[in-house]
Amino acid sequence: MNSIAGRSFEMSYLHQELINDRIHTLHREAEEYRLASRVLRLERARRDVQKATDRLRRALLAQA
C-alpha cells in the first residue's frame, strides 16, 4: 500500500472514530437531559403537594 492510500485509510478511520465518539456523546447528553427533566418534574410535583397540604391545613384550621 502506498503512503497516500495508507494516510487516506487512516484519516477515514479517524474520521469514523470521531463520528462514533460524537454519537456516543450526544446519546449521553440526551440521557442526562432526560434525567434532569425528570428531576425537575419531581421537584415541581413535590412543591405542588406541599402547597396543597398547606391549603388543606389552612382550610381545616379556619373551620375549627
Side-chain angles (χ1 to χ4, degrees):
M1 179 182 331
N2 64 31
S3 67
I4 293 175
R7 274 192 221 122
S8 177
F9 175 75
E10 187 176 312
M11 291 300 289
S12 176
Y13 174 78
L14 291 174
H15 186 258
Q16 190 59 46
E17 284 296 307
L18 287 172
I19 290 170
N20 290 342
D21 185 55
R22 183 63 179 143
I23 289 169
H24 289 293
T25 299
L26 290 171
H27 283 285
R28 186 175 60 248
E29 289 173 354
E31 181 57 33
E32 290 170 358
Y33 177 80
R34 286 190 294 272
L35 179 58
S37 294
R38 287 192 297 259
V39 168
L40 291 174
R41 282 195 305 272
L42 178 61
E43 289 173 349
R44 187 178 310 120
R46 284 181 177 163
R47 283 192 307 268
D48 290 346
V49 167
Q50 186 60 49
K51 288 177 185 177
T53 301
D54 292 343
R55 284 193 306 270
L56 178 59
R57 185 177 292 120
R58 284 192 305 271
L60 290 173
L61 288 174
Q63 288 182 351

